[in-house]
Amino acid sequence: MATIDTPGRGTWNSKLGFILAAAGSAVGLGNIWGFPTQVADNGGAAFILVYLVCCILVGLPVMIAEITIGRKTGKNPVGAFKALDSSGFGAIIGYWGVICGMMILAFYLVISGWTIAYVFEEILKYTGNMTGAAWFGDLANGPKNAIFTIIFMLFTVGIINGGVSNGIERATKILMPFLLFILIVMIGYVFTLEGSADGVREYLMPDFSLIDIDLTLSAMGQAFFSLSLGMGALITYGSYLKKNQNIMESAAYVTVFDIFIAFIAGMLVIPAMYVALSQGIAIFGEDGDLISSVSLVFTVLPQLFENMGGFLGLFVSVSFFLLLGLAALTSSISLLEVPVSYVIDEHKIPRKKASLIVGGIVLFFALIISFDIGLIDVFVNIFNEIGLPLGGMMTCIFLGWVWKSSNALLEIDNGFPGASESNFGKVWAFFIQYICPVLIGIVFVTTVLNIIR
Ligand code: PFF
């Protein structure tokens, strides 16, 4: 099959542009909130080790697969699978990716909206307006959630309207260094506080006896979500990639960067919890485990910021929620770009109109969730915990057995001459054909059984 060139689709301007955009997609709420939460839930460093293994054995090969499919075809996920398989079977994987992208974005927007609302909450608390602060801080307040969900969607659509290099690439080039800067300054500060050393110890001392099937399932799910895999985000980003870029090298950079940010976000959040403990704030739930999930980010940490007091407390808290919001924004644009690129390519609708149509549909679901945040768990179960491994597994099976890894390797040879003959190429092909589908398959079946049981 010849490479399909769709004129005017756009490309990344530079090698770094693609890496930063893909890293921006990967680094999000999943790293700064999800990862530390999972570590807290699953007994510390043991989780980190299993997570690393999942990222390297499964995440990286699947990421290379997605980028290769995207660059070969120069299309959105639906168009890409259609182009590589005339039977039509493949397109189902693309459609599933588009649906998962939209539904994940729907709940992602609501949580992202909380990060902006909390900036106001912290400012009002600082000025002594407790009633106003309580309004902004009430996670179950439907109208407030709806307002901030809409605001976050407007930012996301605004960037997507700018297109690939002027919108996504430019935004991530500015936002990513800023994000890294805030994260490092905050870690530096938390490390000066009493109690942080206990947190670092807890974070880095593995208890291997805690490794079991549940921990492994959580680690694999976290790897898929954090690396933005299984729904065609990287097929889409890969479709804007120039032929002379080395896919394997770029995927490795993105994976390492994502793991690094998750790791250092844990270095911020877990020690911060122990600083809170040393100040008398409860950080363990009734079950004796570290408080995690929503309460960790929106209850324990704000209490710590409050204890710091004064302008410093305000500065640190606003920086933290800004950090979370920026990370979420560079991910939400990639979630929206998947269905938007589908509408542009397959329905020949111009970008601005496409992003308004898709944005409107996603917003409809997001607003429903705004008024009933219990739905977040339902969406996470279906589209994240089941949807992403399912998409990833089908992508591996498709690439390895339908399109064939030998063809994919020929595409990888562009930008990495000799890849198909190298050991890298051979090991990758073996992983995509055998190891990844089997490992993801086990995780997928067990996750489904756990959810329906
Ligand atoms: N990787 C993002 C995070 O860690 O928050 C979430 C995400 C973005 C998942 C894009 C999937 C995706 F396609």
Side-chain angles (χ1 to χ4, degrees), residues 6 9 74-77 79 239-240 340-349:
T6 314
R9 274 188 100 248
K75 293 224 163 217
N76 68 91
S239 74
Y240 308 129
V340 166
S341 69
Y342 158 71
V343 173
I344 295 174
D345 290 348
E346 305 300 304
H347 297 280
K348 308 280 173 269
I349 292 177

Side-chain angles (χ1 to χ4, degrees), residues 33-269:
W33 171 4
F35 184 77
T37 288
Q38 295 263 16
V39 173
D41 256 353
N42 289 294
F47 180 84
I48 304 179
L49 284 180
V50 179
Y51 179 72
L52 267 181
V53 172
C54 292
C55 285
I56 289 165
L57 291 191
V58 178
L60 180 59
V62 174
M63 185 181 289
I64 294 171
E66 287 201 16
I67 300 174
T68 307
I69 292 174
R71 192 178 66 181
K72 170 70 187 173
T73 57
K75 293 224 163 217
N76 68 91
V78 173
F81 284 107
K82 268 190 194 159
L84 296 173
D85 166 41
S86 51
S87 76
F89 157 77
I92 298 171
I93 312 173
Y95 283 116
W96 181 238
V98 170
I99 294 171
C100 285
M102 292 172 76
M103 295 303 121
I104 290 178
L105 180 58
F107 75 78
Y108 207 83
L109 285 173
V110 179
I111 301 175
S112 306
W114 289 345
T115 66
I116 317 178
Y118 257 71
V119 170
F120 289 95
E121 189 259 4
E122 293 293 314
I123 294 172
L124 287 181
K125 222 157 59 180
Y126 175 71
T127 61
N129 181 344
M130 290 310 181
T131 326
W135 189 81
F136 282 102
D138 179 3
L139 299 180
N141 181 333
K144 183 224 64 185
N145 284 345
I147 294 169
F148 285 98
T149 298
I150 293 171
I151 293 176
F152 211 87
M153 185 53 139
L154 290 176
F155 282 127
T156 309
V157 169
I159 295 174
I160 288 300
N161 272 346
V164 179
S165 54
N166 273 334
I168 304 174
E169 184 168 354
R170 208 161 53 169
T172 44
K173 263 190 178 160
I174 300 169
L175 297 179
M176 292 304 284
F178 193 44
L179 182 147
L180 195 60
F181 175 75
I182 301 180
L183 193 53
I184 289 173
V185 170
M186 287 196 71
I187 293 173
Y189 175 64
V190 165
F191 274 22
T192 64
L193 302 176
E194 198 190 319
S196 61
D198 292 336
V200 175
R201 211 169 303 119
E202 269 312 301
Y203 186 54
L204 296 180
M205 290 289 279
D207 177 353
F208 293 109
S209 69
L210 294 171
I211 298 180
D212 60 9
I213 183 79
D214 283 338
L215 182 144
T216 312
L217 292 183
S218 305
M220 185 74 96
Q222 174 66 20
F224 263 85
F225 187 74
S226 186
L227 293 171
S228 300
L229 299 174
M231 47 150 282
L234 288 155
I235 296 182
T236 312
Y237 275 19
S239 74
Y240 308 129
L241 193 60
K242 290 190 176 129
K243 286 286 181 195
N244 61 4
Q245 189 151 344
N246 183 333
I247 293 180
M248 290 209 173
E249 183 191 58
S250 304
Y253 279 135
V254 175
T255 304
V256 169
F257 189 72
D258 187 63
I259 295 172
F260 172 71
I261 296 289
F263 181 73
I264 64 169
M267 277 293 204
L268 169 67
V269 174

Side-chain angles (χ1 to χ4, degrees), residues 323-440:
L323 168 74
L324 210 55
L326 293 182
L329 185 60
T330 54
S331 299
S332 66
I333 54 181
S334 71
L335 286 159
L336 184 60
E337 181 63 13
V338 173
V340 166
S341 69
Y342 158 71
V343 173
I344 295 174
D345 290 348
E346 305 300 304
H347 297 280
K348 308 280 173 269
I349 292 177
R351 173 170 285 274
K352 290 207 166 103
K353 203 168 157 195
S355 65
L356 286 182
I357 297 172
V358 178
I361 300 172
V362 173
L363 197 55
F364 171 76
F365 288 98
L367 290 179
I368 296 177
I369 299 171
S370 296
F371 286 89
D372 181 1
I373 55 167
L375 285 173
I376 293 179
D377 282 344
V378 179
F379 275 61
V380 167
N381 279 164
I382 302 174
F383 299 105
N384 171 7
E385 290 175 355
I386 296 181
L388 299 186
L390 178 63
M393 183 174 64
M394 292 194 295
T395 304
C396 294
I397 295 172
F398 179 87
L399 191 148
W401 301 95
V402 181
W403 183 34
K404 301 275 191 294
S405 28
S406 51
N407 288 321
L409 279 168
L410 292 179
E411 175 60 32
I412 295 175
D413 277 343
N414 298 310
F416 182 3
S420 49
E421 300 302 321
S422 70
N423 287 338
F424 276 130
K426 287 181 190 142
V427 170
W428 173 76
F430 182 73
F431 267 69
I432 284 297
Q433 261 167 287
Y434 301 100
I435 310 273
C436 297
V438 170
L439 289 182
I440 306 170

